[in-house]
Amino acid sequence: MDNQTEVRKFILLGLTSLQGLQKFLFMLFLLLYLFSLLGNMAIMIVVVCEPRLHTPMYFFLCNLSCLDIFFSTVTVPKMLAGFLLGHQGISYTGCLSQLHFFYFLGSSEAFLLAVMAYDRFVAICNPLRYTLIMSPWACLQLAVGTWTTGFLHALMHTVMTSRLHFCGPNHIQHYSCDIKPVVKLACNSSQLNVSLLNIITGSLAIAPFVFILFSYLYIFSFLRLKVQSKEGRRKAFSTCISHLTVVALFYVPVIFNYVPPSSGSSASWTMIATLMYNVVTPVLNPLIYTLRNVEVKRALKRRLFSRE
């Protein structure tokens, strides 16, 4: 290793090398990014400014919007610059930083979706104790725990990746510094990194997803057996369907990426799956929650179209 030169810069190969597609992809992802920013910022502003939405469910929705803004910002601006310049060079330090924040925000969102499912479980199945269980202090603890767990998970991958030596090829088969394509370039053994990705990240993807599924199975059986009011069922189902749609959009590509062995999927399919939960889902989340949520739609109309 002493006679080998350390790599201090990587080249992100991006989505395509075809020059004819660069401008089209630039406009497409620029529009998606702007829609994501505007939609999630609108939700955050409405939740903060509307007293009727100062409830645990909307507190967590505000956290989700904040995560979505940061999550897409970690990768999309760099990708847009690459479309304009024709290449996407990134320093070693910049690559590690991008990797850290990508896993920090992505895993935090995975945990937050599980917390939101727990909130719906308590609200529907134990409504008399809801305000006691989901107190402001409890909600704050859950939110802090979500962000902290995501940070520690990302820190583990960042530290382990920084221990690798890069002395040969520096072309990353991805549009961002994801762990799988980065560790393939290492000169020393990356088996521990791959094992941590398969075991720890795979478990952290599956565990919240299984918790969410069981929570909603119990909720649906509770609604069917215990709730007699059709209006009560309709309102509960509407809220649950919105959240389940977001869960499916996020977890299906995440599980595709991290639950099978890390070397088993092609680079193209890995990038498509990553785009789904990193770029597309942050755009769709505000639409899903506003189109199916009467309270959010009313609050938006009051803020946007009020004569006052």
Side-chain angles (χ1 to χ4, degrees):
M1 293 297 295
D2 292 337
N3 296 327
Q4 293 175 320
T5 304
E6 287 286 317
V7 172
R8 307 311 303 172
K9 184 178 181 179
F10 295 101
I11 304 297
L12 299 170
L13 297 182
L15 299 176
T16 181
S17 58
L18 298 175
Q19 293 297 323
L21 287 175
Q22 300 288 336
K23 291 183 180 179
F24 169 75
L25 290 175
F26 173 80
M27 292 304 301
L28 174 63
F29 284 102
L30 177 62
L31 288 174
L32 289 175
Y33 182 57
L34 291 177
F35 281 136
S36 173
L37 290 181
L38 293 174
N40 285 293
M41 286 178 66
I43 286 182
M44 291 174 66
I45 292 169
V46 167
V47 170
V48 170
C49 296
E50 186 63 42
R52 296 182 184 184
L53 301 183
H54 290 177
T55 63
M57 183 177 78
Y58 295 107
F59 170 72
F60 294 127
L61 178 58
C62 195
N63 273 263
L64 180 64
S65 294
C66 183
L67 278 171
D68 280 339
I69 289 173
F70 291 140
F71 193 32
S72 56
T73 302
V74 169
T75 58
V76 176
K78 186 68 177 175
M79 182 168 57
L80 293 175
F83 290 141
L84 288 180
L85 300 175
H87 62 85
Q88 300 183 58
I90 186 169
S91 67
Y92 174 80
T93 304
C95 190
L96 281 182
S97 300
Q98 189 183 64
L99 183 150
H100 175 79
F101 284 102
F102 182 86
Y103 280 87
F104 166 35
L105 298 164
S107 52
S108 295
E109 183 160 340
F111 296 130
L112 182 63
L113 291 173
V115 169
M116 293 173 76
Y118 174 71
D119 172 69
R120 291 300 84 207
F121 170 80
V122 176
I124 294 170
C125 302
N126 200 354
L128 297 179
R129 299 189 62 201
Y130 179 68
T131 54
L132 179 63
I133 297 173
M134 301 302 292
S135 65
W137 175 240
C139 291
L140 182 61
Q141 285 182 308
L142 286 169
V144 171
T146 293
W147 289 72
T148 304
T149 307
F151 176 82
L152 293 175
H153 171 238
L155 185 63
M156 174 195 70
H157 283 305
T158 307
V159 171
M160 294 306 300
T161 305
S162 68
R163 294 169 64 88
L164 297 175
H165 295 284
F166 299 94
C167 55
N170 66 340
H171 288 71
I172 298 174
Q173 293 273 350
H174 210 282
Y175 69 88
S176 68
C177 288
D178 199 0
I179 289 177
K180 287 185 284 185
V182 169
V183 298
K184 289 180 181 178
L185 304 179
C187 296
N188 56 333
S189 175
S190 59
Q191 185 58 46
L192 180 57
N193 300 70
V194 175
S195 298
L196 288 173
L197 191 68
N198 288 333
I199 297 170
I200 304 298
T201 305
S203 300
L204 293 179
I206 285 291
F209 183 65
V210 171
F211 174 81
I212 292 168
L213 288 183
F214 277 105
S215 297
Y216 277 107
L217 284 174
Y218 189 92
I219 288 171
F220 290 148
S221 62
F222 180 87
L223 290 173
R224 186 176 181 181
L225 298 174
K226 300 292 181 69
V227 178
Q228 304 299 324
S229 167
K230 289 185 178 180
E231 179 62 22
R233 284 184 185 178
R234 186 199 63 77
K235 187 176 181 181
F237 273 120
S238 178
T239 306
C240 293
I241 292 301
S242 296
H243 186 238
L244 277 175
T245 305
V246 171
V247 167
L249 286 170
F250 182 82
Y251 272 102
V252 169
V254 165
I255 290 173
F256 175 84
N257 262 6
Y258 296 108
V259 173
S262 291
S263 59
S265 54
S266 68
S268 299
W269 284 110
T270 298
M271 277 196 289
I272 292 171
T274 306
L275 281 172
M276 282 300 299
Y277 62 83
N278 178 222
V279 180
V280 178
T281 301
V283 178
L284 296 179
N285 283 354
L287 294 175
I288 293 167
Y289 279 109
T290 53
L291 290 177
R292 296 193 60 88
N293 193 301
V294 177
E295 291 177 324
V296 174
K297 283 194 288 188
R298 287 175 180 171
L300 278 171
K301 287 178 181 177
R302 277 196 295 271
R303 293 293 163 183
L304 294 177
F305 303 111
S306 173
R307 292 181 180 179
E308 295 179 359

